[in-house]
Amino acid sequence: MDFLLDPEHCYPALLARDARFDGQWFVGVTSTGVYCRPICRVRPPRRENCRFFPSATLAEAARFRPCLKCRPELAPAARPWSTMDAAEVLAREAARRLDECAPEDASLPALAAHLGVSERHVRRVFTAVHGVAPLQYLQTRRLLLAKQLLTDTRLPIGEVALAAGFSSLRRFNAAFQEHYRLSPSALRKGGTDADTGMSGKTPGKAPANAHGNAPGAAFETAELRLDLRPPLLSSALLNFLAARAVPGVEQVDVERLSLSRSVRFVRPGQPDVLGWLSVRLPADGDERPRVRLSLSPSLWPVIAPLMPRLRRWLDLDADPQAIAAALGETLGPAATGLRLPGSLDRFELAIRAVLGQQITVAAARTLATRLIARFGEPLPDAAGAPPGVTHVFPTPATLAAATVDDIAPIGMPGRRAEALIHLARQWPTLAFAQGRGTVEDAIAELAALPGLGPWTAHYMLMRGWSWPDAYLPGDVVLKQCLEARAGQPLRPRELIAAAEHFAPYRSYAVLQLWRDAATKSAAARTTRGQPRTVGPE
């Protein structure tokens, strides 16, 4: 296969179980027919029995089945942001669309329509870049998710099939048997009690499944394990989110390394799914960090399109070693393991970015709290949400129907309220909202909206698209930090040049510089009073 990797480079990393390569490639062992992650703890195979693949999809296309010990479905994804030609950009966007779209939209015609190209073109480009056809890629993603659900939860096997994106239990069983030479019930340890939804835990009941079927399927509040490449600086991630947490929507406990929040999952043509999630992060410096995820029963049926968003929200697919190399000694070891907080809801992030323009984080949080109280939607009483999580963020339609007089009482100037309403009305047509196109086009599109400047547009891309190379023009804190490091005032062009040193991970440099400024501000608390929280929104 043309996509096979060079054993000269991969085999030594396999022997060392080097976590830097976890998710970057997989090893298929011809003597067993199994493929593994580089960090697999079993005895390493002989070199002549190894074939190295850049993706799990290619390993399965070569008829290898996933290891039951290292569990390839848990490997962090390889998500490079680099200068790519148009074909590769299209292929990456197509893969992202297949990862995140609802099962009913996961078809080649729907994918081609979303990308604005012909089915033949998307199939040709996708195969050239990824080595498999789009539907083969989608099949692998569904099977790996099903394997994770079968292993980590006691969801009934029929509901696992639907949650993973299969249209029927019969098709799921056939695909599982064909690819893994194993039945779903044989994979799951503990016998057949899972088929009836019975387990040692008390199951909840979902109001409806992802396909809109009638109630009756049992779901439990189980935990999923999410793996990542070490190290993870959990404290920095949680402190950033805690400073911006809006009561009612989010609850962050830095000491317990946990956060919870409400979730609205939008399904075109169907009612929105409302629910909540909770995550527990590992301690800083954990050698084998893992995140534990709990979901409300209502969200299990949409776990397939929700999972990529969850990983992007916490930046679990980041490559800390590459980021540390780009940031270099300038920012020091304090930035090692830093993550870029993303977003589960781009509309929520966009509105909160506008709310936070030209004011402190605390003031923006106050405005967002009032907005939730005025326009937010309460979670259903039966949702069983964690304490402090009571509402979901309002929809674009809700804010689009509001007037300036409706929004003004929360403390917003009239021009800012008009900007919010205009953004909500334009939301269904924005490429940023749908994740389409290039970063440059999305920034130009957002900056052209009334009341949104370049700083806000860059910030929205930085977190809404998890863009790792954002530089926020005009940011006062960044200007002060870069000038302090340079030892002299810098002109706008010189500021951009100074930040170029951190490319292609300028977003992480921004986070670390904000951290440095916040630390210095906290140290000066006794002489200057209560410091403002550094950063936007």
Side-chain angles (χ1 to χ4, degrees):
M1 295 179 64
D2 293 338
F3 287 87
L4 285 176
L5 302 177
D6 186 358
E8 291 287 341
H9 297 92
C10 296
Y11 192 70
L14 177 66
L15 294 179
R17 297 189 175 94
D18 196 330
R20 293 178 299 172
F21 299 98
D22 189 19
Q24 305 286 359
W25 47 261
F26 299 84
V27 55
V29 184
T30 56
S31 57
T32 62
V34 170
Y35 74 95
C36 300
R37 299 159 65 179
I39 62 170
C40 191
R41 309 303 295 181
V42 302
R43 185 176 65 181
R46 299 173 63 179
R47 176 173 168 173
E48 57 267 27
N49 293 335
C50 295
R51 299 171 69 188
F52 297 94
F53 301 90
S55 70
T57 306
L58 286 170
E60 296 204 4
R63 305 299 295 169
F64 289 94
R65 61 185 185 275
C67 175
L68 298 181
K69 292 186 180 293
C70 67
R71 301 181 60 190
E73 71 271 14
L74 298 179
R79 303 234 182 254
W81 282 81
S82 60
T83 302
M84 300 178 290
D85 60 27
E88 191 165 355
V89 170
L90 182 68
R92 299 281 182 199
E93 190 171 325
R96 185 168 60 249
R97 172 67 177 177
L98 290 176
D99 286 341
E100 298 185 8
C101 69
E104 56 268 23
D105 296 329
S107 66
L108 190 59
L111 178 62
H114 173 78
L115 297 173
V117 297
S118 68
E119 295 180 34
R120 178 181 179 184
H121 182 63
V122 70
R123 187 190 299 111
R124 178 179 61 81
V125 170
F126 196 100
T127 304
V129 172
H130 296 287
V132 295
L135 296 185
Q136 190 174 3
Y137 172 90
L138 180 63
Q139 181 87 317
T140 299
R141 303 303 301 169
R142 287 173 170 174
L143 286 170
L144 288 176
L145 175 59
K147 182 177 178 296
Q148 182 179 6
L149 294 176
L150 288 169
T151 305
D152 287 353
T153 78
R154 304 303 296 172
L155 298 181
I157 291 179
E159 301 300 340
V160 168
L162 293 177
F166 290 89
S167 58
S168 70
L169 181 59
R170 180 182 61 81
R171 290 187 177 183
F172 169 58
N173 284 329
F176 209 90
Q177 184 72 46
E178 177 186 357
H179 283 75
Y180 298 160
R181 278 88 78 187
L182 189 70
S183 69
S185 57
L187 171 68
R188 168 172 276 168
K189 295 180 180 180
T192 59
D193 59 343
D195 294 321
T196 61
M198 303 299 294
S199 69
K201 299 180 182 179
T202 303
K205 182 167 287 188
N209 63 33
H211 294 260
N213 296 336
F219 290 89
E220 60 172 304
T221 306
E223 279 191 342
L224 285 181
R225 169 183 143 192
L226 307 179
D227 283 8
L228 58 142
R229 299 180 190 93
L232 170 65
L233 197 57
S234 298
S235 58
L237 176 63
L238 289 173
N239 279 320
F240 182 93
L241 294 174
R244 294 155 179 80
V246 178
V249 172
E250 302 161 299
Q251 189 70 29
V252 182
D253 190 328
V254 178
E255 292 185 357
R256 296 186 178 182
L257 298 174
S258 66
L259 67 153
S260 305
R261 65 156 296 136
S262 61
V263 177
R264 178 192 298 276
F265 188 85
V266 178
R267 299 180 297 176
Q270 301 183 57
D272 294 349
V273 178
L274 306 184
W276 55 265
L277 60 85
S278 294
V279 296
R280 290 187 293 113
L281 276 64
D284 293 353
D286 194 321
E287 293 183 358
R288 300 181 64 185
R290 293 170 179 173
V291 172
R292 300 290 179 176
L293 167 71
S294 300
L295 298 173
S296 66
S298 59
L299 293 179
W300 284 109
V302 294
I303 186 63
L306 186 60
M307 182 66 79
R309 306 182 193 188
L310 293 172
R311 296 192 63 87
R312 190 172 61 240
W313 173 46
L314 301 176
D315 200 14
L316 299 184
D317 296 323
D319 186 345
Q321 302 298 330
I323 296 168
L327 301 186
E329 298 180 357
T330 307
L331 296 183
T336 304
L338 201 63
R339 303 290 163 142
L340 173 61
S343 173
L344 288 174
D345 184 342
R346 290 193 185 111
F347 179 70
E348 175 184 337
L349 175 71
I351 293 298
R352 290 174 60 172
V354 175
L355 290 176
Q357 291 182 128
Q358 300 178 343
I359 59 176
T360 66
V361 171
R365 181 181 178 180
T366 299
L367 291 179
T369 302
R370 294 171 182 170
L371 187 77
I372 295 298
R374 176 69 177 81
F375 298 100
E377 183 175 351
L379 280 172
D381 293 337
V389 179
T390 59
H391 288 71
V392 291
F393 202 81
T395 64
T398 299
L399 293 184
T403 65
V404 173
D405 291 338
D406 294 329
I407 297 178
I410 73 172
M412 290 282 291
R415 296 290 294 274
R416 192 73 54 81
E418 290 175 357
L420 288 181
I421 295 171
H422 186 81
L423 175 60
R425 291 174 178 173
Q426 294 296 314
W427 189 255
T429 66
L430 296 180
F432 167 78
Q434 303 170 38
R436 291 188 292 104
T438 66
V439 166
E440 293 76 17
D441 291 343
I443 288 175
E445 172 190 64
L446 293 172
L449 296 175
L452 273 71
W455 184 97
T456 306
H458 280 75
Y459 179 75
M460 288 165 63
L461 266 292
M462 172 179 155
R463 294 192 60 196
W465 276 17
S466 297
W467 180 31
D469 198 30
Y471 172 73
L472 308 182
D475 188 278
V476 175
V477 176
L478 296 182
K479 181 177 184 295
Q480 293 172 348
C481 291
L482 291 174
E483 288 181 342
R485 290 173 181 273
Q488 62 182 5
L490 299 176
R491 298 176 181 177
R493 187 173 299 178
E494 293 172 329
L495 287 170
I496 295 175
E500 282 287 346
H501 176 73
F502 305 117
Y505 294 106
R506 285 179 290 180
S507 295
Y508 295 89
V510 167
L511 291 176
Q512 181 57 29
L513 292 173
W514 281 347
R515 281 184 72 209
D516 290 346
T519 301
K520 293 177 182 178
S521 179
R525 180 176 304 179
T526 56
T527 57
R528 299 182 182 179
Q530 187 71 23
R532 60 169 286 181
T533 305
V534 178
E537 188 253 312

